[in-house]
Amino acid sequence: MPTIAFVSPKGGVGKTTSAFLFATAIAEIYDVTVIDADPNHPIQTWATGGNTPSRLTIISGVDEDTIIERIEDAAAQTPFVIVDLEGTASKTVIYAISQADFVVIPTQGSQLDANEASRAIRVVLQSEKMTGKPKPYAVLLTRTSASIRTRGLAHIQNGLIDAGIPVLETELNERDAFKAVFSFRQTLDGLNPAEVPNIDKAKINVLKFVEEVFARLAAEEGGRKEDQKSSAVAGAA
Ligand SMILES: Nc1ncnc2c1ncn2[C@@H]1O[C@H](COP(=O)(O)OP(=O)(O)OP(=O)(O)O)[C@@H](O)[C@H]1O
Ligand SMILES: [Mg+2]
């Protein structure tokens, strides 16, 4: 029952867009709850378009007093819980991270954005210290060009990797379709190819993102089982 939180104190880096795309992609197969914990509730507003997939439940109106309970309730109801958070450092964000099995830190490809990402990473590491448990996370580069790899972006990417920060190989490229889902209040599948270019490429981009997060979750789960096995063996010895 993974809970995946999308976190960054920087506004406008693509938290809502990536959380939404992730949730609607997996809602094709699994039941998913999106906790729209942004006071501006962008995903709840999207849902007023009437195109919410049947497997997707959206909960909004949460705050620091209710976020933990809402996540726990949602995790008991659906196999996936996706949490979209506001772009500030708040108690709500800290509590959501404490409940998450995986944290995605969306980051645009500039040095200033990378610096903001490191603030989010510090909160994740604090959560690890408080709970004494690993808190898997990864940076997701967003709004990158699908066609051009700039030296600036490569430099930032390498800087993060050299600092031991996990960075997803998949980037969420800058795509019209990723904006259009909100303007038309549609899922990617519901967009009209006559109105929006490259919907297929956008879908492939999201699928790769989902697959990579799934692979990381599976690797974490595998690692945990191995740890449990070795401590059981050590205990029996
Ligand atoms: N991959 C992308 N391609 C095209 N546009 C994008 C992409 N990611 C985000 N955007 C656009 O950038 C703007 C900010 O994105 P979004 O709302 O997802 O960021 P956010 O981190 O959730 O912001 P906030 O901190 O305000 O909640 C929006 O106009 C969105 O449409
Ligand atoms: Mg947002």
Side-chain angles (χ1 to χ4, degrees):
M1 290 175 295
T3 294
I4 304 168
F6 288 71
V7 174
S8 170
K10 174 115 201 268
V13 290
K15 292 179 289 294
T16 299
T17 303
S18 46
F20 169 84
L21 292 169
F22 192 95
T24 45
I26 55 176
E28 286 181 23
I29 303 174
Y30 301 102
D31 290 334
V32 187
T33 304
V34 168
I35 303 204
D36 182 352
D38 184 331
N40 294 318
H41 46 79
I43 298 180
Q44 183 68 56
T45 303
W46 171 89
T48 58
N51 297 310
T52 309
S54 57
R55 287 180 174 277
L56 185 71
T57 305
I58 300 166
I59 292 173
S60 65
V62 296
D63 58 24
E64 64 185 50
D65 294 329
T66 53
I67 183 97
I68 292 182
E69 210 177 323
R70 290 287 178 280
I71 293 176
E72 278 176 355
D73 289 350
Q77 299 288 327
T78 58
F80 286 92
V81 180
I82 307 300
V83 190
D84 178 33
L85 290 150
E86 63 183 315
T88 53
S90 65
K91 275 194 193 158
T92 308
V93 173
I94 293 166
Y95 293 154
I97 290 175
S98 77
Q99 296 301 298
D101 298 291
F102 196 86
V103 178
V104 177
I105 302 177
T107 307
Q108 289 182 36
S110 82
Q111 192 58 54
L112 291 175
D113 287 277
N115 297 346
E116 292 287 332
S118 54
R119 284 176 54 204
I121 293 165
R122 273 205 293 278
V123 181
V124 171
L125 298 180
Q126 272 167 1
S127 172
E128 282 192 338
K129 276 200 179 145
M130 281 189 313
T131 58
K133 287 188 203 148
K135 180 71 63 185
Y137 73 95
V139 166
L140 166 71
L141 288 164
T142 58
R143 308 194 71 176
T144 57
S145 164
S147 51
I148 307 161
R149 169 129 309 259
T150 65
R151 282 194 191 169
L153 180 63
H155 180 71
I156 287 163
Q157 213 166 6
N158 291 337
L160 291 167
I161 293 167
D162 289 348
I165 293 164
V167 181
L168 293 180
E169 246 172 67
T170 312
E171 298 163 14
L172 218 50
N173 298 132
E174 173 78 27
R175 292 181 186 278
D176 288 344
F178 295 161
K179 285 190 200 302
V181 284
F182 286 98
S183 12
F184 291 103
R185 298 192 178 171
Q186 274 291 357
T187 58
L188 276 179
D189 266 332
L191 291 175
N192 180 351
E195 289 172 320
V196 184
N198 295 323
I199 298 170
D200 284 349
K201 285 187 181 160
K203 277 196 217 166
I204 292 169
N205 193 175
V206 174
L207 281 184
K208 282 193 170 166
F209 166 44
V210 171
E211 276 170 13
E212 201 182 341
V213 172
F214 275 22
R216 284 184 186 243
L217 277 166
E220 290 297 334
E221 182 62 20
R224 260 203 303 275
K225 284 201 177 128
E226 277 307 309
D227 286 350
Q228 277 163 7
K229 248 195 247 165
S230 26
S231 45
V233 170

Tab-separated table of all heavy atoms in Angstrom, residues 7-19 21 38 40 42 84-88 106 108 141-144 171-183 205, ligand 1:
chain	number	residue	atom	x	y	z
A	7	VAL	N	6.859	16.567	-3.116
A	7	VAL	CA	7.271	17.598	-2.162
A	7	VAL	C	8.308	18.542	-2.769
A	7	VAL	O	9.259	18.097	-3.410
A	7	VAL	CB	7.941	16.912	-0.934
A	7	VAL	CG1	8.510	17.938	0.018
A	7	VAL	CG2	6.948	16.002	-0.216
A	8	SER	N	8.123	19.827	-2.548
A	8	SER	CA	9.197	20.826	-2.746
A	8	SER	C	8.715	22.135	-2.145
A	8	SER	O	7.564	22.510	-2.337
A	8	SER	CB	9.501	21.041	-4.227
A	8	SER	OG	10.352	22.172	-4.338
A	9	PRO	N	9.613	22.824	-1.424
A	9	PRO	CA	9.181	24.110	-0.870
A	9	PRO	C	9.079	25.176	-1.957
A	9	PRO	O	8.530	26.243	-1.735
A	9	PRO	CB	10.315	24.461	0.112
A	9	PRO	CG	11.511	23.737	-0.384
A	9	PRO	CD	11.003	22.504	-1.084
A	10	LYS	N	9.610	24.871	-3.135
A	10	LYS	CA	9.572	25.854	-4.222
A	10	LYS	C	8.238	25.745	-4.957
A	10	LYS	O	7.799	24.646	-5.290
A	10	LYS	CB	10.735	25.563	-5.169
A	10	LYS	CG	10.749	26.400	-6.416
A	10	LYS	CD	11.950	27.305	-6.441
A	10	LYS	CE	11.738	28.472	-7.363
A	10	LYS	NZ	12.145	28.375	-8.666
A	11	GLY	N	7.615	26.875	-5.203
A	11	GLY	CA	6.351	26.865	-5.942
A	11	GLY	C	6.596	26.657	-7.428
A	11	GLY	O	7.650	27.022	-7.955
A	12	GLY	N	5.624	26.042	-8.084
A	12	GLY	CA	5.637	25.971	-9.542
A	12	GLY	C	6.650	25.035	-10.169
A	12	GLY	O	6.955	25.164	-11.354
A	13	VAL	N	7.174	24.069	-9.404
A	13	VAL	CA	8.192	23.166	-9.983
A	13	VAL	C	7.587	21.927	-10.660
A	13	VAL	O	8.310	21.147	-11.262
A	13	VAL	CB	9.226	22.696	-8.924
A	13	VAL	CG1	10.119	23.833	-8.495
A	13	VAL	CG2	8.542	22.044	-7.745
A	14	GLY	N	6.273	21.764	-10.513
A	14	GLY	CA	5.626	20.626	-11.161
A	14	GLY	C	5.148	19.549	-10.202
A	14	GLY	O	4.905	18.414	-10.624
A	15	LYS	N	4.964	19.887	-8.931
A	15	LYS	CA	4.464	18.888	-7.964
A	15	LYS	C	3.071	18.402	-8.384
A	15	LYS	O	2.835	17.202	-8.511
A	15	LYS	CB	4.342	19.498	-6.545
A	15	LYS	CG	5.658	19.841	-5.901
A	15	LYS	CD	5.452	20.446	-4.526
A	15	LYS	CE	4.875	21.838	-4.543
A	15	LYS	NZ	5.733	22.866	-5.127
A	16	THR	N	2.167	19.367	-8.581
A	16	THR	CA	0.788	18.984	-8.897
A	16	THR	C	0.725	18.251	-10.230
A	16	THR	O	0.062	17.211	-10.352
A	16	THR	CB	-0.105	20.243	-8.933
A	16	THR	OG1	-0.065	20.854	-7.640
A	16	THR	CG2	-1.536	19.910	-9.293
A	17	THR	N	1.451	18.764	-11.220
A	17	THR	CA	1.425	18.137	-12.549
A	17	THR	C	1.936	16.698	-12.464
A	17	THR	O	1.287	15.772	-12.958
A	17	THR	CB	2.298	18.958	-13.538
A	17	THR	OG1	1.810	20.304	-13.554
A	17	THR	CG2	2.273	18.373	-14.924
A	18	SER	N	3.078	16.493	-11.798
A	18	SER	CA	3.628	15.134	-11.768
A	18	SER	C	2.779	14.209	-10.892
A	18	SER	O	2.574	13.046	-11.247
A	18	SER	CB	5.099	15.137	-11.344
A	18	SER	OG	5.319	15.952	-10.236
A	19	ALA	N	2.252	14.731	-9.777
A	19	ALA	CA	1.393	13.899	-8.913
A	19	ALA	C	0.130	13.490	-9.677
A	19	ALA	O	-0.292	12.329	-9.648
A	19	ALA	CB	1.011	14.665	-7.644
A	21	LEU	N	-0.334	13.327	-12.987
A	21	LEU	CA	-0.049	12.407	-14.099
A	21	LEU	C	0.223	11.002	-13.565
A	21	LEU	O	-0.228	10.007	-14.136
A	21	LEU	CB	1.151	12.910	-14.908
A	21	LEU	CG	0.907	14.215	-15.688
A	21	LEU	CD1	2.225	14.759	-16.224
A	21	LEU	CD2	-0.090	13.988	-16.830
A	38	ASP	N	-2.952	20.776	-1.117
A	38	ASP	CA	-2.658	22.180	-1.421
A	38	ASP	C	-3.923	22.987	-1.110
A	38	ASP	O	-5.000	22.643	-1.619
A	38	ASP	CB	-2.292	22.277	-2.916
A	38	ASP	CG	-1.883	23.681	-3.319
A	38	ASP	OD1	-2.366	24.641	-2.695
A	38	ASP	OD2	-1.099	23.812	-4.266
A	40	ASN	N	-5.004	25.474	-2.342
A	40	ASN	CA	-5.664	25.924	-3.584
A	40	ASN	C	-6.361	24.768	-4.312
A	40	ASN	O	-6.939	24.966	-5.378
A	40	ASN	CB	-4.642	26.559	-4.540
A	40	ASN	CG	-4.073	27.829	-3.968
A	40	ASN	OD1	-4.807	28.636	-3.395
A	40	ASN	ND2	-2.765	28.004	-4.084
A	42	PRO	N	-5.793	22.252	-6.511
A	42	PRO	CA	-5.845	22.223	-7.982
A	42	PRO	C	-6.411	20.919	-8.552
A	42	PRO	O	-7.069	20.941	-9.599
A	42	PRO	CB	-4.372	22.394	-8.395
A	42	PRO	CG	-3.572	21.989	-7.195
A	42	PRO	CD	-4.401	22.345	-6.007
A	84	ASP	N	-0.357	15.372	-2.952
A	84	ASP	CA	0.157	16.599	-3.577
A	84	ASP	C	0.171	17.696	-2.517
A	84	ASP	O	-0.854	17.988	-1.906
A	84	ASP	CB	-0.739	17.013	-4.751
A	84	ASP	CG	-0.254	18.312	-5.393
A	84	ASP	OD1	0.972	18.549	-5.411
A	84	ASP	OD2	-1.103	19.081	-5.883
A	85	LEU	N	1.360	18.279	-2.324
A	85	LEU	CA	1.509	19.243	-1.221
A	85	LEU	C	1.735	20.654	-1.734
A	85	LEU	O	2.156	20.858	-2.868
A	85	LEU	CB	2.676	18.793	-0.334
A	85	LEU	CG	2.323	17.525	0.448
A	85	LEU	CD1	3.550	16.686	0.709
A	85	LEU	CD2	1.620	17.870	1.756
A	86	GLU	N	1.477	21.605	-0.869
A	86	GLU	CA	1.691	23.011	-1.255
A	86	GLU	C	3.195	23.321	-1.282
A	86	GLU	O	3.997	22.634	-0.650
A	86	GLU	CB	0.969	23.948	-0.282
A	86	GLU	CG	1.492	23.842	1.128
A	86	GLU	CD	0.730	24.724	2.109
A	86	GLU	OE1	0.475	25.887	1.785
A	86	GLU	OE2	0.398	24.230	3.197
A	87	GLY	N	3.535	24.390	-2.008
A	87	GLY	CA	4.946	24.741	-2.166
A	87	GLY	C	5.492	25.587	-1.042
A	87	GLY	O	6.043	26.655	-1.289
A	88	THR	N	5.364	25.096	0.178
A	88	THR	CA	5.973	25.794	1.324
A	88	THR	C	6.495	24.724	2.282
A	88	THR	O	6.149	23.556	2.153
A	88	THR	CB	4.946	26.640	2.119
A	88	THR	OG1	3.851	25.787	2.451
A	88	THR	CG2	4.448	27.831	1.347
A	106	PRO	N	10.061	17.006	-7.198
A	106	PRO	CA	10.162	17.579	-8.542
A	106	PRO	C	11.033	18.834	-8.523
A	106	PRO	O	10.948	19.646	-7.599
A	106	PRO	CB	8.707	17.942	-8.897
A	106	PRO	CG	7.862	17.188	-7.920
A	106	PRO	CD	8.692	17.097	-6.677
A	108	GLN	N	12.967	21.782	-11.279
A	108	GLN	CA	13.291	22.244	-12.627
A	108	GLN	C	14.811	22.356	-12.762
A	108	GLN	O	15.518	22.416	-11.755
A	108	GLN	CB	12.609	23.573	-12.891
A	108	GLN	CG	11.103	23.392	-13.030
A	108	GLN	CD	10.389	24.688	-13.342
A	108	GLN	OE1	10.885	25.546	-14.055
A	108	GLN	NE2	9.207	24.816	-12.791
A	141	LEU	N	13.485	15.482	-12.353
A	141	LEU	CA	13.697	16.706	-13.137
A	141	LEU	C	12.465	16.954	-14.003
A	141	LEU	O	11.972	16.035	-14.670
A	141	LEU	CB	14.961	16.582	-13.987
A	141	LEU	CG	16.246	16.645	-13.150
A	141	LEU	CD1	17.439	16.144	-13.938
A	141	LEU	CD2	16.511	18.056	-12.633
A	142	THR	N	11.954	18.175	-13.942
A	142	THR	CA	10.709	18.485	-14.641
A	142	THR	C	10.919	19.598	-15.664
A	142	THR	O	11.852	20.392	-15.555
A	142	THR	CB	9.616	18.959	-13.655
A	142	THR	OG1	10.097	20.099	-12.968
A	142	THR	CG2	9.238	17.879	-12.678
A	143	ARG	N	10.016	19.635	-16.607
A	143	ARG	CA	9.958	20.698	-17.619
A	143	ARG	C	11.252	20.790	-18.430
A	143	ARG	O	11.644	21.866	-18.855
A	143	ARG	CB	9.603	22.036	-16.981
A	143	ARG	CG	8.360	21.944	-16.134
A	143	ARG	CD	7.809	23.300	-15.773
A	143	ARG	NE	7.226	23.935	-16.955
A	143	ARG	CZ	6.596	25.094	-16.920
A	143	ARG	NH1	6.475	25.741	-15.794
A	143	ARG	NH2	6.076	25.602	-18.017
A	144	THR	N	11.917	19.639	-18.577
A	144	THR	CA	13.150	19.636	-19.369
A	144	THR	C	12.784	19.462	-20.844
A	144	THR	O	11.702	18.952	-21.178
A	144	THR	CB	14.077	18.485	-18.929
A	144	THR	OG1	13.353	17.261	-19.064
A	144	THR	CG2	14.537	18.652	-17.498
A	171	GLU	N	12.880	11.958	-16.903
A	171	GLU	CA	12.526	13.359	-16.631
A	171	GLU	C	11.108	13.578	-17.136
A	171	GLU	O	10.686	12.912	-18.081
A	171	GLU	CB	13.468	14.287	-17.407
A	171	GLU	CG	14.910	14.131	-17.005
A	171	GLU	CD	15.866	14.726	-18.031
A	171	GLU	OE1	15.410	15.480	-18.919
A	171	GLU	OE2	17.058	14.420	-17.946
A	172	LEU	N	10.402	14.498	-16.508
A	172	LEU	CA	9.103	14.871	-17.051
A	172	LEU	C	9.351	16.079	-17.953
A	172	LEU	O	9.651	17.166	-17.460
A	172	LEU	CB	8.140	15.199	-15.903
A	172	LEU	CG	6.705	14.761	-16.070
A	172	LEU	CD1	6.564	13.305	-16.472
A	172	LEU	CD2	5.946	15.006	-14.790
A	173	ASN	N	9.286	15.839	-19.247
A	173	ASN	CA	9.635	16.904	-20.201
A	173	ASN	C	8.578	18.007	-20.222
A	173	ASN	O	7.448	17.809	-19.781
A	173	ASN	CB	9.753	16.313	-21.615
A	173	ASN	CG	10.851	15.282	-21.716
A	173	ASN	OD1	10.649	14.194	-22.237
A	173	ASN	ND2	12.023	15.614	-21.221
A	174	GLU	N	8.979	19.142	-20.741
A	174	GLU	CA	8.031	20.234	-20.983
A	174	GLU	C	7.138	19.818	-22.153
A	174	GLU	O	7.629	19.567	-23.249
A	174	GLU	CB	8.823	21.506	-21.334
A	174	GLU	CG	7.987	22.686	-21.766
A	174	GLU	CD	7.319	23.412	-20.603
A	174	GLU	OE1	7.855	23.367	-19.476
A	174	GLU	OE2	6.272	24.024	-20.832
A	175	ARG	N	5.855	19.648	-21.905
A	175	ARG	CA	4.946	19.172	-22.952
A	175	ARG	C	3.617	19.892	-22.872
A	175	ARG	O	3.063	20.064	-21.771
A	175	ARG	CB	4.694	17.664	-22.787
A	175	ARG	CG	5.909	16.830	-23.072
A	175	ARG	CD	5.622	15.352	-22.922
A	175	ARG	NE	6.857	14.597	-23.065
A	175	ARG	CZ	7.399	14.262	-24.225
A	175	ARG	NH1	6.795	14.590	-25.354
A	175	ARG	NH2	8.527	13.599	-24.270
A	176	ASP	N	3.096	20.228	-24.034
A	176	ASP	CA	1.778	20.872	-24.096
A	176	ASP	C	0.720	20.009	-23.425
A	176	ASP	O	-0.170	20.517	-22.732
A	176	ASP	CB	1.360	21.080	-25.562
A	176	ASP	CG	2.170	22.182	-26.218
A	176	ASP	OD1	2.810	22.959	-25.488
A	176	ASP	OD2	2.168	22.253	-27.465
A	177	ALA	N	0.827	18.690	-23.642
A	177	ALA	CA	-0.202	17.786	-23.108
A	177	ALA	C	-0.282	17.869	-21.581
A	177	ALA	O	-1.354	17.709	-20.992
A	177	ALA	CB	0.088	16.347	-23.537
A	178	PHE	N	0.884	18.138	-20.933
A	178	PHE	CA	0.896	18.183	-19.468
A	178	PHE	C	0.239	19.457	-18.933
A	178	PHE	O	-0.149	19.522	-17.776
A	178	PHE	CB	2.333	18.057	-18.947
A	178	PHE	CG	2.985	16.722	-19.249
A	178	PHE	CD1	4.366	16.583	-19.212
A	178	PHE	CD2	2.216	15.614	-19.557
A	178	PHE	CE1	4.964	15.358	-19.487
A	178	PHE	CE2	2.804	14.382	-19.840
A	178	PHE	CZ	4.186	14.257	-19.801
A	179	LYS	N	0.158	20.469	-19.782
A	179	LYS	CA	-0.600	21.670	-19.409
A	179	LYS	C	-2.075	21.475	-19.771
A	179	LYS	O	-2.969	21.889	-19.040
A	179	LYS	CB	-0.102	22.877	-20.199
A	179	LYS	CG	1.213	23.453	-19.760
A	179	LYS	CD	1.392	24.780	-20.502
A	179	LYS	CE	2.830	25.222	-20.536
A	179	LYS	NZ	3.450	25.384	-19.258
A	180	ALA	N	-2.284	20.838	-20.937
A	180	ALA	CA	-3.638	20.719	-21.484
A	180	ALA	C	-4.563	19.909	-20.581
A	180	ALA	O	-5.766	20.188	-20.515
A	180	ALA	CB	-3.574	20.082	-22.874
A	181	VAL	N	-3.997	18.927	-19.857
A	181	VAL	CA	-4.872	18.132	-18.965
A	181	VAL	C	-5.594	19.050	-17.972
A	181	VAL	O	-6.751	18.810	-17.625
A	181	VAL	CB	-4.092	17.028	-18.197
A	181	VAL	CG1	-3.782	15.853	-19.110
A	181	VAL	CG2	-2.840	17.560	-17.531
A	182	PHE	N	-4.915	20.123	-17.559
A	182	PHE	CA	-5.552	21.042	-16.609
A	182	PHE	C	-6.454	22.048	-17.324
A	182	PHE	O	-7.523	22.370	-16.821
A	182	PHE	CB	-4.499	21.751	-15.740
A	182	PHE	CG	-3.916	20.830	-14.713
A	182	PHE	CD1	-2.709	20.188	-14.925
A	182	PHE	CD2	-4.615	20.545	-13.536
A	182	PHE	CE1	-2.193	19.300	-13.991
A	182	PHE	CE2	-4.101	19.662	-12.594
A	182	PHE	CZ	-2.890	19.038	-12.828
A	183	SER	N	-6.033	22.520	-18.512
A	183	SER	CA	-6.926	23.489	-19.173
A	183	SER	C	-8.219	22.823	-19.639
A	183	SER	O	-9.288	23.420	-19.542
A	183	SER	CB	-6.245	24.240	-20.322
A	183	SER	OG	-5.033	23.698	-20.678
A	205	ASN	N	6.124	9.097	-21.747
A	205	ASN	CA	6.941	9.796	-20.745
A	205	ASN	C	6.407	9.477	-19.327
A	205	ASN	O	7.173	9.128	-18.414
A	205	ASN	CB	6.879	11.302	-21.032
A	205	ASN	CG	7.903	12.133	-20.292
A	205	ASN	OD1	8.008	13.333	-20.508
A	205	ASN	ND2	8.685	11.537	-19.396
B	1	LIG	N1	6.205	18.925	-17.511
B	1	LIG	C1	5.517	20.057	-17.728
B	1	LIG	N2	5.239	20.461	-18.998
B	1	LIG	C2	4.559	21.600	-19.231
B	1	LIG	N3	4.106	22.414	-18.260
B	1	LIG	C3	4.352	22.072	-16.986
B	1	LIG	C4	5.058	20.874	-16.642
B	1	LIG	N4	5.159	20.806	-15.284
B	1	LIG	C5	4.527	21.885	-14.809
B	1	LIG	N5	4.048	22.656	-15.816
B	1	LIG	C6	3.325	23.949	-15.694
B	1	LIG	O1	4.039	24.731	-14.738
B	1	LIG	C7	3.158	25.399	-13.857
B	1	LIG	C8	3.447	24.941	-12.420
B	1	LIG	O2	3.227	23.545	-12.343
B	1	LIG	P1	2.549	22.870	-11.068
B	1	LIG	O3	1.310	23.597	-10.690
B	1	LIG	O4	2.444	21.432	-11.346
B	1	LIG	O5	3.685	23.166	-9.998
B	1	LIG	P2	3.592	23.013	-8.393
B	1	LIG	O6	4.956	22.652	-7.938
B	1	LIG	O7	2.492	22.108	-8.025
B	1	LIG	O8	3.227	24.514	-7.949
B	1	LIG	P3	2.730	25.000	-6.492
B	1	LIG	O9	3.942	25.015	-5.624
B	1	LIG	O10	2.199	26.359	-6.770
B	1	LIG	O11	1.707	24.036	-6.014
B	1	LIG	C9	1.753	25.053	-14.329
B	1	LIG	O12	1.317	26.079	-15.186
B	1	LIG	C10	1.938	23.752	-15.114
B	1	LIG	O13	0.985	23.618	-16.148
